[in-house]
Amino acid sequence: MLTKSHIKLIASLSQKKFRTQHQLFIVEGLKGIKEFLNSSFELHQLFSVENVFNVEAILVSNQELKKISSLKTPNTALAIFKMPKLKPINENVLVVALDNVRDPGNLGTIIRLCDWFGIKDLVCNSATVDCYNPKVVQATMGSLSRVNISYLDLPQFLKEIKVETFGTFMNGKNIYIQNLPKQGVIILGNEANGISESVEAVIDKRISIPRFGDTQATESLNVATATAIALSEFKRGFTEM
C-alpha cells in the first residue's frame, strides 16, 4: 500500500539535499530498475503496478504511480535505491573527468558513453550536476549501475595523479594525429565556457577535435558528442575484436 510517508519521501528525493541526507535516489522504468537490481546497488523500496520482479514490491495503481512519478508518462514501476559507498579510483586505466558540466541530459549521456567504451571511473567536480538527479538517472538507461562516479576537488586530483592528463580545448592539438596512451585522464569542460582556468592550469596536454566545415562557423561541440569522439579516438588502437 502506498502511504503518505512513501509519497513524501519520493517527492523529497527530487532535491539533492534530501538525496544526500537519506543517501537514496530514484530509478524509474522496468529496464533501468532491472539493471540496478542485477548490480551491486541495494534496493530500498520498489513500487510497481504489476509484480514482474523477483523481489518484494509494493503494488500500486496506475493512478498512484502517476502521483509519485516525475515522468509525463509513468513506466510501470518506480524504485528507490541506496547510494553506494565511495570506491577508490583506478588510475592505471583511462579515466574521464568533468569540469562544471551542468546539463542532466549531457551527464546521463556521458555516463552511457563511459559504460559503452569500458570506462569504469568518471570523476566530477562539485559544480557538475548530481549523478543521482532523476533526469540524469533516466538518461543513463541503467549505465549508472556500472560506472563508478566520484565528486572531488578536480584540480587537486589532477595534480596528484601519476598519469598524463588531456584537456579538450578549441585550440588544442588535433586529436586525430596524436599518439594517445592506453591510460590517462580525459577532461571535458562546461557546455558554455569550456574547462575552467583552475583546471586548465594543471592539465598536461591540450587536445582538440578539429572543425572540417567550410565556413568554420560552428562555435563548439556538445560536450557529450565531444566525449564520444574523444573516447573513440583513445580506444581506437586498443580495441580487442
Side-chain angles (χ1 to χ4, degrees):
M1 176 181 172
L2 183 69
T3 67
K4 288 183 179 180
S5 62
H6 290 145
I7 296 171
K8 183 179 179 181
L9 174 62
I10 292 166
S12 74
L13 296 179
S14 64
Q15 298 182 53
K16 182 180 178 180
K17 65 177 180 179
F18 291 115
R19 291 194 296 270
T20 302
Q21 178 183 321
H22 296 295
Q23 288 295 290
L24 298 171
F25 68 99
I26 292 170
V27 181
E28 293 200 58
L30 287 176
K31 182 184 183 300
I33 291 171
K34 286 179 178 179
E35 294 271 16
F36 279 94
L37 288 174
N38 291 327
S39 73
S40 60
F41 280 73
E42 186 178 347
L43 178 68
H44 177 70
Q45 282 177 322
L46 174 61
F47 305 87
S48 181
V49 297
E50 52 184 333
N51 198 358
V52 294
F53 301 95
N54 294 322
V55 295
E56 183 179 349
I58 297 171
L59 294 179
V60 296
S61 67
N62 285 308
Q63 196 61 33
E64 286 175 319
L65 183 65
K66 189 174 182 180
K67 188 182 295 185
I68 60 176
S69 174
S70 63
L71 303 177
K72 288 183 179 179
T73 306
N75 188 356
T76 309
L78 178 150
I80 303 173
F81 282 90
K82 295 181 181 180
M83 292 182 186
K85 293 181 180 178
L86 293 176
K87 300 175 184 175
I89 299 166
N90 183 358
E91 301 177 3
N92 297 316
V93 291
L94 205 57
V95 174
V96 171
L98 302 180
D99 181 26
N100 297 351
V101 171
R102 306 292 178 85
D103 182 78
N106 281 337
L107 179 57
T109 301
I110 290 169
I111 292 170
R112 289 185 69 188
L113 287 166
C114 286
D115 189 21
W116 180 268
F117 284 101
I119 304 299
K120 300 298 183 185
D121 281 291
L122 175 62
V123 174
C124 305
N125 72 333
S126 60
T128 292
V129 61
D130 179 24
C131 66
Y132 298 112
N133 177 306
K135 291 181 180 179
V136 176
V137 176
Q138 197 68 24
T140 70
M141 299 292 288
S143 288
L144 179 60
S145 65
R146 293 180 290 273
V147 179
N148 181 40
I149 303 177
S150 305
Y151 285 80
L152 42 70
D153 183 326
L154 189 53
Q156 191 62 35
F157 169 74
L158 297 175
K159 282 179 187 176
E160 295 175 354
I161 200 164
K162 301 295 191 294
V163 294
E164 279 189 304
T165 57
F166 298 82
T168 52
F169 295 89
M170 292 295 291
N171 59 354
K173 293 184 178 180
N174 187 340
I175 191 171
Y176 299 124
I177 57 175
Q178 300 306 303
N179 193 5
L180 303 172
K182 196 171 185 177
Q183 60 185 42
V185 183
I186 308 169
I187 304 102
L188 297 109
N190 176 270
E191 292 87 348
N193 303 312
I195 292 172
S196 61
E197 291 182 4
S198 61
V199 172
E200 181 180 356
V202 292
I203 286 174
D204 297 322
K205 293 185 177 178
R206 301 164 64 95
I207 55 175
S208 178
I209 300 165
R211 290 178 292 190
F212 292 96
D214 292 337
T215 63
Q216 300 286 296
T218 307
E219 286 188 4
S220 63
L221 278 176
N222 169 274
V223 66
T225 302
T227 302
I229 294 170
L231 286 176
S232 180
E233 286 303 306
F234 270 86
K235 289 287 188 177
R236 182 188 294 274
F238 306 106
T239 304
E240 296 180 2
M241 302 300 291

